[in-house]
């Protein structure tokens, strides 16, 4: 069996969130992956399938996919080139270099960096590693739900699973994981921020929508177009996907509350998922009859993310809250 790069992360009950929401709430701590986010699950799997005889990999990323790709490439003794947009913070670029990756900074948003990564893969004969749109990524990500099912045991079933959506890779992986464990009747709450809401726009329009720009500060949710599979799952009727959008302010408040209550720092992309509980959205969905009352245990995928440190958190707070 191929070596795994990701770890089986803890599933922790949050007493404060459980109290707030009125149902036991479990945090799947993907922030504790070796690369700091869930991305290593899918990227590890994809690289093992596609890159064992490669002369090197090239990955486009808002940050976290790149760190996962650089980590995996180092473990596989492959050279890695990571292409990031100018919006990726310096500490992420430094981390990529610390993993031995060569970093190119191209364009303003992920879509620009991706075009360059595709070009490089063709011109240099490198294996292209996409951050969210590939069946091998979704298969790798699906292990997150298999672990949740094993940790909760055969008698428990979640009332809902909450995830953040950027390009939709995590969402597709979670849906496949639900399929694998026979939980297709568990609704998924898919969270985005205003200005990085390409999935919500697609769901509303009933077709893929390309955003004009990414105005959210949650740059790691900043793909302009969601992957087709995510939209197809939402239209398929096989699974209920509730698409919701929060403001950057709500995502930031969630990051701050999570830091205070759970003593874990995550980036804004992850704050979008946490805002579903902290901003009262779950309660609102129950009031609207879109989630049952009482609700079974909630599972929040704490997707993690390294695009944050104390200084950036303080800057974001100034920018978004004016304090
Ligand atoms: N981030 C991607 C895409 O960026 C990247 O390159 O790292 N939570 C965190 C912390 C993330 O970094 C991402 C994706 C997501 C959630 C959303 O995952 P997705 O793209 O699979 O929906 C532009």
């Amino acid at each position: 069996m191929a070596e795994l790069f990701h770890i089986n992360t803890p599933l922790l009950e949050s007493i404060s969130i459980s109290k707030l929401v009125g149902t036991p709430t479990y945090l799947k701590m993907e922030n504790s992956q070796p690369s700091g986010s869930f991305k290593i699950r899918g990227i590890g799997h994809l690289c093992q399938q596609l890159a064992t005889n490669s002369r090197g990999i090239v990955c486009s990323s808002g940050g976290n996919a790149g760190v996962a790709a650089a980590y995996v490439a180092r473990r596989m003794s492959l050279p890695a080139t990571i292409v990031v947009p100018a919006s990726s913070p310096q500490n992420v670029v430094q981390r990529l270099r610390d993993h031995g990756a060569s970093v190119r900074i191209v364009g303003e948003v992920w879509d620009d960096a991706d075009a360059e990564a595709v070009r490089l893969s063709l011109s240099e004969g490198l294996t292209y590693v996409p951050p969210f749109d590939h069946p091998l990524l979704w298969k790798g990500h699906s292990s997150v739900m298999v672990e949740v099912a094993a940790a909760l045991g055969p008698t428990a079933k979640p009332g809902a699973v909450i995830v953040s959506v950027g390009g939709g890779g995590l969402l597709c992986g979670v849906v496949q994981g639900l399929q694998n464990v026979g939980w297709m009747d568990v609704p998924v709450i898919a969270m985005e921020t205003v200005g990085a809401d390409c999935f919500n726009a697609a769901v509303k329009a009933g077709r893929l929508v390309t955003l004009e720009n990414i105005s959210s500060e949650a740059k790691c949710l900043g793909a302009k177009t969601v992957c087709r599979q995510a939209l197809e799952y939402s239209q398929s009727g096989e699974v209920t996907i509730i698409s919701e959008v929060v403001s950057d302010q709500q995502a930031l408040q969630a990051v701050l509350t999570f830091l205070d209550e759970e003593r874990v720092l995550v980036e804004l992309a992850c704050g979008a998922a946490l805002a579903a509980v902290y901003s009262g959205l779950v309660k609102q969905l129950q009031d609207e009859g879109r989630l049952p009352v009482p609700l079974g245990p909630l599972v929040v995928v704490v997707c993690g993310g390294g695009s944050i440190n104390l200084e950036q958190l303080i800057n974001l707070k100034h920018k978004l809250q004016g304090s």
Side-chain angles (χ1 to χ4, degrees):
M1 210 177 91
E3 180 194 11
L4 293 180
F5 299 119
H6 68 267
I7 61 166
N8 184 337
T9 53
L11 185 72
L12 305 178
E13 183 178 358
S14 164
I15 301 303
S16 60
I17 301 179
S18 301
K19 200 170 132 201
L20 183 73
V21 185
T23 190
T25 300
Y26 294 93
L27 306 168
K28 183 62 174 159
M29 300 298 278
E30 290 298 289
N31 61 296
S32 59
Q33 288 293 355
S35 70
S37 81
F38 70 95
K39 291 275 177 184
I40 192 169
R41 293 180 184 271
I43 288 179
H45 182 64
L46 180 138
C47 288
Q48 277 168 333
Q49 299 299 309
L50 301 184
T52 39
N53 296 316
S54 169
R55 40 190 304 206
I57 64 160
V58 58
C59 174
S60 59
S61 176
N64 294 308
V67 176
Y71 175 91
V72 167
R74 186 167 56 78
R75 293 277 303 270
M76 292 176 74
S77 304
L78 291 171
T81 304
I82 313 296
V83 191
V84 295
S87 55
S88 289
Q90 190 50 41
N91 62 322
V92 173
V93 172
Q94 189 52 49
R95 196 162 320 134
L96 290 168
R97 294 199 169 118
D98 291 346
H99 277 294
S102 99
V103 182
R104 301 211 188 178
I105 300 170
V106 177
E108 291 306 313
V109 296
W110 169 81
D111 297 70
D112 306 332
D114 187 54
E116 173 66 4
V118 171
R119 194 193 65 74
L120 275 176
S121 74
L122 297 173
S123 66
E124 318 259 314
L126 301 172
T127 304
Y128 169 63
V129 177
F132 54 80
D133 194 2
H134 199 290
L136 290 171
L137 294 177
W138 310 329
K139 178 145 195 269
H141 292 337
S142 69
S143 59
V144 74
M145 288 318 300
V146 178
E147 287 173 18
V148 168
L152 285 181
T155 52
K157 186 196 263 196
V161 177
I162 304 175
V163 297
S164 296
V165 177
L170 176 60
L171 175 62
C172 290
V174 163
V175 171
Q176 291 189 4
L178 292 174
Q179 230 157 14
N180 294 346
V181 300
W183 281 352
M184 282 300 264
D185 53 341
V186 173
V188 181
I189 307 176
M191 299 298 301
E192 297 175 288
T193 49
V194 177
D197 44 359
C198 60
F199 178 60
N200 191 259
V203 168
K204 281 186 178 152
R207 59 176 168 80
L208 291 181
V209 172
T210 299
L211 303 178
E212 251 173 52
N213 58 24
I214 301 299
S215 55
S216 170
E217 293 295 330
K219 299 300 176 199
C220 273
L221 298 185
K224 287 188 188 172
T225 320
V226 78
C227 66
R228 181 170 297 280
Q229 183 63 64
L231 178 63
E232 282 178 5
Y233 277 136
S234 82
Q235 294 174 328
S236 69
E238 289 169 76
V239 59
T240 302
I241 301 178
I242 302 172
S243 166
E244 292 291 331
V245 176
V246 288
S247 65
D248 278 1
Q249 283 81 359
Q250 286 172 307
L252 175 64
Q253 192 49 54
V255 167
L256 293 168
T257 310
F258 193 66
L259 180 59
D260 266 357
E261 292 189 348
E262 311 294 334
R263 295 157 309 281
V264 175
L265 178 60
V266 293
E267 66 174 73
L268 220 50
C270 181
L274 295 169
V277 286
Y278 290 128
S279 74
L281 179 74
V282 169
K283 277 251 159 75
Q284 187 192 316
L285 291 170
Q286 286 183 295
D287 292 345
E288 291 169 2
R290 295 167 70 196
L291 284 177
V293 186
L295 184 66
L298 269 183
V299 173
V300 184
V301 180
V302 180
C303 45
S307 302
I308 189 99
N309 59 21
L310 191 53
E311 192 185 333
Q312 283 155 0
L313 183 65
I314 292 168
N315 289 341
L316 267 177
K317 207 165 163 331
H318 281 304
K319 196 165 176 182
L320 297 174
Q321 296 185 336
S323 61

